[in-house]
Every structure is written in structure tokens, then in C-alpha cells.
Amino acid sequence: MTKSDETPVYLAADCGGSHCRVRLYDEDGNRLAEGFGGPSNAALGLDAALSEIFRATREALGTLEGVTIPLSRLHAGFAMAGLIEPTLREEFTHIPHPFASMTAETDAFVAQLGAFAGGDGGLLITGTGSCAFASVGADKYYIGGWGFGVSDQGSGARLGHLSVRRALQAYDEILPPSPFCEEIMDKLGGTPAEVSSWSLTARPADYATLAALAFDYAAREDEVAVYLVKEIAGEVEQLIRALIKRGVSGIRHVGGLADPIRPWLDDSHQSCFVTAKGDVFDGALRLINNRTGLINKSGKGRQ
């Protein structure tokens, strides 16, 4: 970087249930660096989420050779899973911080901004958790995203949780066993007592790590895995219908479960999906600009 030490730098962060990714951009929208942290969704607590954002930001700053950028030069915009309650968003943006400015919205809100370049459309996220967001004219709709304990249908954590329950039922001969059930039990200790002990500290991200195993066994036509993946597909279709009900004309589907679950969705839903104009980082930069008006509009389309 050759510009003065007063030149703003923009911090865009994607804060999810499994990890946090941050990217630094200059005023023209050029990416400068990237960093990673651990789970940073709002359900873990705002202080804990911010701690992971700081960790990822320090990693990104550390990759800039010959340049030292203080946090006080960073204008930050966060896409954060679980930040759905207006009071929680307000609380987060008033947490003491070292940035030049800081703003945040739900991951679905920000990803929708990026995917539709600020225009109308629906955004569906199925990752560790799940949620949806629709923007139709002046109307904004939040759907789901209320946390693992009461929501997160069609998500990786939900699929993992169902898999663990089903494996225990097979072990206890409540329901028929399958190779998938046996592998789940083996991965979690082999006995119900070990599984129960694991569950006491398991986070949504821990359950979500089992989702790939479910898809693997479903591809091998394991009856239990097929049943569970189809159940998750049905829950994703419910979210799609909820978006359509709000009047969206196109849906962008993102998240770690988006590609694996797509072949399991009914053909009638495939035409709903559209190609994104940008990603969650584009959305975060647009969010920063909407709140501050600082980003150079002669840049590379990331305003």
C-alpha cells in the first residue's frame, strides 16, 4: 500500500457457526488480505464472537508485508449468523471496539445484499445452521435462524443431530441398525454412555461435522442415511416455499449444505435458484458503505 496512513481500510467478515472468515479491502475494493477464526455466531455470545473476529483480523493484518495497519483505521462490516433480534444487533454495534466504525447484520441479510447487489431477492443459507432472508421492495423478511435448540431446520447441525439420535435408537434396538448408524456410534465412542458424554459439550458445529458422513452413506444407499437426508431436503424445501410466499422472484442458495442437498431437492424447486451477482463479502462492503458512505464508488464494483 502506498497511500497515507489516514487512508481507510475495510474489514468484511463472514461469521458462522463453524468458522469466521475476514477479508481486508482498500478504498477501491481491492482485496488486501484474508484471515480465519473459529465459530463466531451470535448464539455463542457477542464477546466470544468478537474475540474470533479479532483473531481472524490479526491473522489477516499479519500477512501484509511491510505494512502496519492499526485497527483504528478499519471500518468493519460483519455478516453474523444468529444476529436476528434487533435488540441483539443494537447491543452488538454498541460493544466497545477499536475499529474506526463497526456495523453488523445477520449473515442472510448481508449475503442477500451481495448476491443481489442491493436489489430484491431471497437468500437461503444452509450451513452449520440455517436461515433465510427476503428483500421485496421496502419489505424485509427474516425466516428462521433462531438457534440450534429451536430452529436451524435443513442444516448440517440438524442432520448431524438426527444422525446421532438415530444411531442410539439402532444401538438400543428401538429401530433397525445400518452401517451408517454403526459408524456414527464408533466415531462418538462406541457406547451410549460415551455418546451421551460427548453430547454434553457438543456444539452445533460438532453435530454439523457428521453431515458429510450422512451424505456419504446416502450415496451408498444406506437406508437410514437416505431417510435422514431426504428429511433434511424436505426441511430445506419448506424454507424455499417460505421465501416464495414472500414474493421473491429468485433465490440464491449458499452454505456448506447447499451443494450436497441440491440433488435431493424436488425438481420443481430447481428453477427458483439464481446465479449470484456477488458474495457475502461484497454484501459486507455494501453494508459498510450504506452505513458510512465512505467506500470509493469509482472502485471495482464492490460498493
Side-chain angles (χ1 to χ4, degrees), residues 42-68:
L44 298 174
L46 298 184
D47 289 337
L50 199 55
S51 176
E52 291 300 326
I53 292 169
F54 283 140
R55 184 156 74 94
T57 301
R58 287 192 294 269
E59 179 181 297
L61 290 170
T63 66
L64 297 174
E65 295 183 3
V67 178
T68 300

Side-chain angles (χ1 to χ4, degrees), residues 142-198:
Y142 292 92
I143 303 169
W146 302 108
F148 177 60
V150 294
S151 188
D152 282 354
Q153 69 181 75
S155 70
R158 166 82 168 151
L159 177 54
H161 187 255
L162 289 175
S163 299
V164 174
R165 287 176 57 89
R166 183 60 179 79
L168 284 171
Q169 290 171 324
Y171 187 98
D172 287 336
E173 299 183 359
I174 298 171
L175 292 173
S178 81
F180 172 61
C181 295
E182 292 169 4
E183 179 150 352
I184 290 289
M185 290 298 299
D186 287 344
K187 286 184 71 68
L188 300 183
T191 69
E194 290 289 342
V195 175
S196 180
S197 178
W198 174 86

Side-chain angles (χ1 to χ4, degrees), residues 4-296:
S4 77
D5 289 344
E6 302 303 317
T7 305
V9 175
Y10 302 96
L11 170 64
D14 180 17
C15 311
S18 293
H19 59 263
C20 172
R21 294 185 299 160
V22 307
R23 290 179 182 172
L24 301 177
Y25 296 91
D26 67 15
E27 62 179 345
D28 296 319
N30 300 303
R31 191 200 302 184
L32 303 174
E34 186 172 41
F36 298 88
S40 54
N41 57 321
L44 298 174
L46 298 184
D47 289 337
L50 199 55
S51 176
E52 291 300 326
I53 292 169
F54 283 140
R55 184 156 74 94
T57 301
R58 287 192 294 269
E59 179 181 297
L61 290 170
T63 66
L64 297 174
E65 295 183 3
V67 178
T68 300
I69 300 176
L71 295 179
S72 59
R73 272 179 61 194
L74 302 181
H75 291 272
F78 305 144
M80 182 172 291
L83 200 66
I84 193 167
E85 284 288 347
T87 54
L88 192 61
R89 294 197 298 275
E90 184 73 8
E91 179 187 347
F92 184 83
T93 55
H94 283 84
I95 291 177
H97 63 82
F99 302 121
S101 68
M102 185 176 79
T103 187
E105 281 286 354
T106 69
D107 51 347
F109 181 106
V110 179
Q112 194 276 343
L113 274 180
F116 294 91
D120 289 356
L123 197 289
L124 172 60
I125 297 177
T126 56
T128 297
S130 69
C131 62
F133 178 80
S135 178
V136 182
D139 296 321
K140 312 294 182 188
Y141 303 99
Y142 292 92
I143 303 169
W146 302 108
F148 177 60
V150 294
S151 188
D152 282 354
Q153 69 181 75
S155 70
R158 166 82 168 151
L159 177 54
H161 187 255
L162 289 175
S163 299
V164 174
R165 287 176 57 89
R166 183 60 179 79
L168 284 171
Q169 290 171 324
Y171 187 98
D172 287 336
E173 299 183 359
I174 298 171
L175 292 173
S178 81
F180 172 61
C181 295
E182 292 169 4
E183 179 150 352
I184 290 289
M185 290 298 299
D186 287 344
K187 286 184 71 68
L188 300 183
T191 69
E194 290 289 342
V195 175
S196 180
S197 178
W198 174 86
S199 72
L200 295 178
T201 57
R203 298 179 298 180
D206 298 318
Y207 283 104
T209 61
L210 303 173
L213 197 62
F215 283 107
D216 182 29
Y217 272 88
R220 302 184 211 175
E221 299 184 352
D222 180 282
E223 290 186 6
V224 173
V226 167
Y227 176 84
L228 294 178
V229 169
K230 284 183 175 179
E231 183 166 350
I232 292 300
E235 293 182 353
V236 172
E237 289 171 348
Q238 290 173 349
L239 291 169
I240 293 170
R241 288 193 291 271
L243 282 168
I244 294 172
K245 190 183 300 183
R246 268 69 174 188
V248 300
S249 57
I251 298 170
R252 176 61 180 162
H253 188 189
V254 299
L257 222 69
D259 287 339
I261 203 64
R262 186 71 60 82
W264 296 87
L265 301 179
D266 189 85
D267 289 344
S268 63
H269 295 299
Q270 303 296 340
S271 61
C272 300
F273 300 125
V274 297
T275 301
K277 296 179 179 178
D279 60 18
V280 66
F281 295 104
D282 294 286
L285 290 177
R286 185 175 289 273
L287 179 68
I288 295 170
N289 195 53
N290 289 348
R291 303 287 167 85
T292 68
L294 289 173
I295 297 178
N296 184 356

